[in-house]
Amino acid sequence: MSEAEPLPVKIRAEIAAAAAYAQGRTAGESGFKLSSNENPYPPLPSVLEVYRAQSALNRYPAAAAPELRERLAERFGVTSAHVHIGAGSVSLLAQFIAAAASVGDEVVYAWRSFEAYPGLVTVTGARSVQVPCLPDGRHNLPAMARAVTERTRVVIVCTPNNPTSTIVTRDEFETFMAAVPSDTLVLLDEAYYEFVTDPQAVDGKPLLPRYPNLVVLRTFSKAYGLAALRVGYAVGQPGIMAAARSAAIPLSVTDAAQAAAVASIEHEDELMERVARIALQRDRTRAALIDQGWAIPEAQGNFVWLPTREATDAAADAFFDGGISVRPFHPDGIRVSIGEPESVEKLLKISGEIVRGLPKGHPGKRLG
Ligand SMILES: *Cc1c(COP(=O)(O)O)cnc(C)c1O
């Protein structure tokens, strides 16, 4: 919020001081929008048809999302009571944090990570404890475990991490879970789960029976290409799902979103082919960037991370002027989504110019 104008009503100081969520810049004329980790492919005709068939707009949606929950429960080998649907996994994050944490409590997460986390914590009145990522952008899980105190109510682990695209391995995660008190909620944010190709990466699903304090969060926004419809899901113990429901704004998930999500599960093979293509394009893009001289971490989401540091804003402007909107996080780096195949050439042309301009010894530049 701007501090220029006096507030006409009493507002909580921490809210007045907080920055509103900043959305990725849209693409300029004839440009590519690689700033929001969106899926570049339009919805499948079959999914669009189901969505368009929704006509009872005068009726409230089915609050419990029974069909979608049933489908997801089958897939996870759990009951519907273990599944909770939200209007995007951002709203699920908000619900779980609000259900567990309030004034005097702490929420631990890596930083830099998903830019929505700090605001969601602030709204609950709890305090964010941000544990710096390792120099290669990976979570420092031992340090995160050490940051847990008796005030900690929630720990968020983001893998692949937005914006660095790095994963947490299964071994790292199991060691971490063994160190975290079993009554502290752990949210495993797997928004980019479907893009992961590294066999070492943690997968929350098979770990759920072992850790009753673990909740897995996934979304239809990224791999399934339904970002506009706002639908995500959580899987975990029924009592924790019920608590999140109590903290939710009722009736936020529309029937159209539920129906499109169910249709997407039915046409998953086709959608996962696209995901595989995006992952391949990611690997090729990263390899080309490294060839150009960039030092960039492993990339397992549908995006790559350029550690441009103090050159971040200038580099983002150079991309924008060249027809590509990216997501700058000054003074750390730039997140570039893997988008239309046609965007790659343009992207690499600009990134090549930028890396040539970085001084010797810059952390974003390979040695030699
Ligand atoms: C995109 C994203 C989400 C969720 O997005 P929704 O559209 O709200 O489902 C959650 N976590 C991370 C890390 C993300 O990048």
Side-chain angles (χ1 to χ4, degrees), residues 88-90 114 117 158 162 189 191-192 219 221-222 230:
S89 54
V90 171
F114 187 29
Y117 298 154
C158 186
N162 177 1
D189 187 343
Y192 302 97
T219 178
S221 294
K222 310 284 169 45
R230 319 302 305 124

Side-chain angles (χ1 to χ4, degrees), residues 82-353:
H82 292 79
V83 182
H84 174 44
I85 309 295
S89 54
V90 171
S91 44
L92 293 168
L93 282 158
Q95 293 168 24
F96 285 104
I97 297 168
S102 185
V103 177
D105 301 326
E106 294 178 350
V107 178
V108 172
Y109 52 89
W111 199 253
R112 185 169 283 280
S113 189
F114 187 29
E115 68 267 33
Y117 298 154
L120 297 178
V121 174
T122 299
V123 165
T124 68
R127 197 173 77 83
S128 280
V129 176
Q130 301 182 333
V131 178
C133 286
L134 296 165
D136 62 0
R138 291 160 43 80
H139 277 34
N140 186 343
L141 283 176
M144 288 175 70
R146 285 195 298 275
V148 173
T149 69
E150 69 283 353
R151 287 184 300 279
T152 307
R153 292 299 188 90
V154 185
V155 185
I156 311 172
V157 174
C158 186
T159 176
N161 185 46
N162 177 1
T164 56
S165 212
T166 54
I167 51 131
V168 165
T169 69
R170 187 183 313 111
D171 289 351
E172 285 172 331
F173 189 71
E174 289 185 16
T175 305
F176 168 79
M177 289 303 286
V180 171
S182 61
D183 61 355
T184 302
L185 174 61
V186 176
L187 299 176
L188 188 64
D189 187 343
E190 297 190 316
Y192 302 97
Y193 168 81
E194 295 83 359
F195 298 102
V196 173
T197 52
D198 184 338
Q200 311 256 58
V202 68
D203 174 353
K205 176 171 168 269
L207 299 178
L208 284 166
R210 276 181 45 202
Y211 304 111
N213 57 328
L214 175 64
V215 169
V216 169
L217 299 175
R218 294 191 188 166
T219 178
F220 286 92
S221 294
K222 310 284 169 45
Y224 294 82
L226 296 180
L229 290 183
R230 319 302 305 124
V231 55
Y233 60 100
V235 189
Q237 288 305 306
I240 312 177
M241 300 302 112
R245 245 168 246 132
S246 301
I249 295 170
L251 303 164
S252 300
V253 185
T254 65
D255 277 345
Q258 296 176 34
V262 169
S264 297
I265 292 174
E266 281 163 3
H267 297 278
E268 192 153 53
D269 291 352
E270 235 175 307
L271 289 167
M272 290 308 125
E273 260 172 55
R274 294 170 159 193
V275 166
R277 254 183 276 155
I278 293 167
L280 192 65
Q281 185 177 321
R282 168 198 70 205
D283 292 345
R284 288 183 178 150
T285 303
R286 176 170 180 266
L289 288 164
I290 290 171
D291 274 350
Q292 289 182 337
W294 287 95
I296 58 174
E298 163 197 48
Q300 288 286 301
N302 62 339
F303 53 97
V304 294
W305 174 245
L306 303 176
T308 41
R309 302 290 192 264
E310 66 290 341
T312 293
D313 284 341
D317 286 344
F319 277 117
F320 192 76
D321 293 343
I324 294 203
S325 64
V326 296
R327 189 62 155 266
F329 296 103
H330 194 83
D332 293 338
I334 288 177
R335 189 191 70 198
V336 187
S337 309
I338 300 302
E340 294 80 354
E342 303 76 36
S343 67
V344 177
E345 197 182 330
K346 212 172 209 179
L347 165 69
L348 291 175
K349 183 174 174 291
I350 307 162
S351 62
E353 286 162 13

Side-chain angles (χ1 to χ4, degrees), residues 64-74 80-81 83-85 245:
E67 196 183 353
L68 179 55
R69 274 168 71 205
E70 191 50 50
R71 289 301 179 93
L72 293 166
E74 267 168 41
S80 281
V83 182
H84 174 44
I85 309 295
R245 245 168 246 132

